[in-house]
Amino acid sequence: MTNAAIGRSADSPKIRTVTNPITGLREKKYPVMIDEASGHAFSDPQIVSLEISSKCNLHCIMCGFHSIHKKDPQPGQHISKELFRRAIPFIEKAELVPLCGGGEPLLNFRLPKMVRKITDIGVSTAITTNGILLNADRIKEVVDAGLTYIEISVDGTSSFEKIRGVPFEKLENNLKRLAGYKKKNKKRTPIIDLSYTAMRDTLVELDDIVKFGAEIGAREIRVQPLQICFTELIDQNIYHDRERTIRYLKKAKEKAESLDVKLIVRRLSFLNDERYGDDKEFNQYLKKYNCLEPFNSITILADGRIQVCCAGITLTKSLNDHCPEEMWNSDEIKRLRLELIKGEFRQRCKSCNLIHGSPENQVIMQDKVTLLGLLRMERKALLLYREHLKKKGLVKGNLDALKRLYGDLAGGMK
């Protein structure tokens, strides 16, 4: 082994073990250690996400992977046993392993076995799910396997079926069943969190979601703005009416406080950024490096590719062909770290709404067909499109600035 993290060396940070007061589990903790001259990481990725399935059972309107609006849908796949095995060196050094990505993890029947394996290693696990497949058998399997955290996506109550294609009552019954199973069997885990994508028309329902979270014993409600992937949703940009958005968010926060549920608003440029909640250490690194993900986390996609940020920057090398040591301190990722440390943002980072929240950066992030079509427009057509956005209150600035924005986005997709 080299000193490139994953394999411990004299340069590696010392791990401390603490007891999580919520879960009662012993968890590993260690600092992020980066050579700021070279971009080399002496610390290992603390968060190692495994996309155990890129398939999904729903076609939610806003999803960049499986939406009914997506023009080039992909069938998806489950992670292979061999790829899971190759990820073990990453997993052994991690603090947390989320078993999710662009698909629905409950579709993978091997989920409980993977949770059990990682739990036996001594690492916490998590999934993000739409919750529709949480029947009695599935609940028993994942809870008994030792799942630590479960985050359920709930984007509305009365609008839930319009967004996700299934009645809210189905999810409601499943989550009440989950909470009941935990209580009956005196299980502290999985910790239940709710994830809410803020859209203009559904902000009025955030209060109801907070109330529902309290009823099922949720720890947190995590709110983040819609990333608009498709022109059909362009009017749902919550930046469209700043004052209205702030009013609803503040009202929901007050409701959450009264019900003893934490509400965290993430990835917004016009409110206090609570991206990592109360984790002062993470927020410290975030401020120092402009973005934290390439410094402390990776995502292993179902096909073996390594994604180093949630905006989709992916390494050219695959875990199918290269060992973890090579991936974590490859020239590619070190170059990205150096850029972020210096604040010299590459094309995709310039339009990242986590770093640069703005009305423009919420619009058309993943619909490549629409985006590339815009780039091929004549000046007159582009001007008309700009006027459309301007009327919606989504774009400020001149035409050249808009052109540069779309040029940057397209370049980041190459």
Side-chain angles (χ1 to χ4, degrees):
M1 290 288 185
T2 68
N3 67 348
I6 305 298
R8 293 293 175 193
S9 73
D11 297 316
S12 299
K14 292 182 179 180
I15 297 177
R16 59 189 177 90
T17 305
V18 299
T19 300
N20 186 316
I22 300 175
T23 64
L25 300 175
R26 297 283 287 171
E27 296 178 348
K28 295 177 291 186
K29 298 288 181 183
Y30 54 89
V32 174
M33 287 184 61
I34 304 294
D35 179 352
E36 296 180 14
S38 67
H40 182 96
F42 290 104
S43 52
D44 301 314
Q46 298 168 345
I47 302 173
V48 178
S49 298
L50 297 183
E51 185 184 57
I52 66 170
S53 181
S54 55
K55 299 181 179 184
C56 194
N57 55 318
L58 300 182
H59 298 284
C60 305
I61 59 173
M62 68 290 186
C63 178
F65 300 97
H66 305 284
S67 172
I68 58 173
H69 300 306
K70 192 166 178 63
K71 297 175 176 66
D72 55 344
Q74 300 296 318
Q77 66 186 87
H78 295 330
I79 196 170
S80 68
K81 291 181 179 180
E82 173 59 19
L83 190 55
F84 180 79
R85 186 191 66 79
R86 292 181 66 85
I88 293 297
F90 273 131
I91 292 170
E92 288 175 334
K93 305 298 188 294
E95 292 183 12
L96 175 67
V97 177
L99 296 163
C100 47
E104 170 52 56
L106 291 173
L107 281 174
N108 191 326
F109 71 92
R110 290 171 39 236
L111 169 63
K113 290 184 179 179
M114 287 186 274
V115 169
R116 175 63 66 191
K117 172 69 174 177
I118 297 167
T119 301
D120 289 346
I121 290 173
V123 177
S124 296
T125 55
I127 63 171
T128 299
T129 172
N130 57 49
I132 299 304
L133 300 177
L134 276 174
N135 57 34
D137 291 339
R138 222 56 176 129
I139 289 171
K140 184 179 187 307
E141 288 174 349
V142 297
V143 173
D144 292 355
L147 182 67
T148 319
Y149 302 95
I150 184 167
E151 182 175 4
I152 300 99
S153 301
V154 188
D155 303 304
T157 49
S158 59
S159 63
F160 186 86
E161 186 166 3
K162 180 181 177 181
I163 295 169
R164 295 186 172 265
V166 292
F168 175 72
E169 289 72 24
K170 183 170 181 60
L171 176 66
E172 183 179 29
N173 292 335
N174 286 350
L175 297 192
K176 287 180 177 179
R177 186 183 295 120
L178 170 62
Y181 186 84
K182 281 181 58 182
K183 183 177 181 180
K184 178 182 177 181
N185 293 277
K186 299 180 180 179
K187 298 281 189 179
R188 299 177 70 174
T189 59
I191 302 301
I192 299 173
D193 297 317
L194 301 185
S195 176
Y196 167 79
T197 299
M199 291 182 266
R200 192 176 188 277
D201 289 350
T202 62
L203 274 173
V204 296
E205 299 173 31
L206 184 53
D207 264 16
D208 295 333
I209 292 171
V210 170
K211 181 180 177 183
F212 174 61
E215 290 174 357
I216 62 168
R219 174 187 61 164
E220 294 178 355
I221 315 291
R222 300 171 180 174
V223 178
Q224 61 186 37
L226 172 69
Q227 290 190 47
I228 301 166
C229 304
F230 311 105
T231 52
E232 290 86 350
L233 298 178
I234 201 165
D235 290 334
Q236 295 304 315
N237 194 333
I238 62 170
Y239 282 86
H240 178 71
D241 190 335
R242 174 189 174 113
E243 298 305 319
R244 177 179 181 272
T245 297
I246 292 176
R247 185 168 68 253
Y248 277 115
L249 291 175
K250 286 185 175 179
K251 181 183 176 185
K253 277 204 165 193
E254 291 172 1
K255 169 74 79 172
E257 190 172 328
S258 70
L259 295 175
D260 198 26
V261 177
K262 183 182 290 187
L263 188 142
I264 296 176
V265 180
R266 304 186 294 179
R267 304 179 180 180
L268 290 178
S269 65
F270 49 73
L271 285 179
N272 291 333
D273 191 344
E274 300 174 343
R275 201 168 311 167
Y276 295 107
D278 297 327
D279 196 317
K280 295 179 181 178
E281 187 175 343
F282 270 22
N283 283 309
Q284 167 196 331
Y285 292 129
L286 178 65
K287 185 176 181 180
K288 185 176 183 180
Y289 296 137
N290 292 300
C291 176
L292 185 55
E293 296 193 17
F295 300 87
N296 85 318
S297 63
I298 58 161
T299 296
I300 301 169
L301 299 177
D303 60 8
R305 291 176 299 142
I306 297 289
Q307 190 169 291
V308 294
C309 83
C310 62
I313 296 178
T314 306
L315 303 182
T316 55
K317 293 179 179 179
S318 165
L319 191 59
N320 290 310
D321 306 310
H322 298 273
C323 64
E325 296 95 319
E326 293 178 272
M327 308 298 289
W328 183 234
N329 274 307
S330 66
D331 290 340
E332 282 183 281
I333 195 169
K334 287 194 289 187
R335 185 165 57 250
L336 175 60
R337 289 174 188 144
L338 286 176
E339 290 171 5
L340 291 167
I341 289 170
K342 296 175 183 177
E344 298 173 353
F345 303 114
R346 63 177 60 181
Q347 291 174 325
R348 184 166 291 228
C349 297
K350 288 177 184 176
S351 58
C352 175
N353 70 309
L354 273 84
I355 302 175
H356 314 287
S358 72
E360 295 90 342
N361 286 345
Q362 298 302 128
V363 179
I364 310 178
M365 299 293 287
Q366 298 183 47
D367 187 347
K368 299 181 184 180
V369 175
T370 300
L371 179 57
L372 295 176
L374 286 170
L375 289 169
R376 290 192 292 267
M377 282 182 173
E378 295 294 328
R379 178 181 174 85
K380 182 178 179 181
L382 185 58
L383 180 61
L384 289 172
Y385 183 74
R386 175 186 177 274
E387 289 304 310
H388 167 72
L389 295 182
K390 188 175 181 181
K391 287 178 182 178
K392 300 294 184 182
L394 300 176
V395 170
K396 297 177 182 178
N398 57 43
L399 179 61
D400 289 337
L402 182 64
K403 255 183 173 178
R404 285 197 301 273
L405 169 65
Y406 284 124
D408 288 343
L409 282 172
M413 288 179 178
K414 293 178 181 178

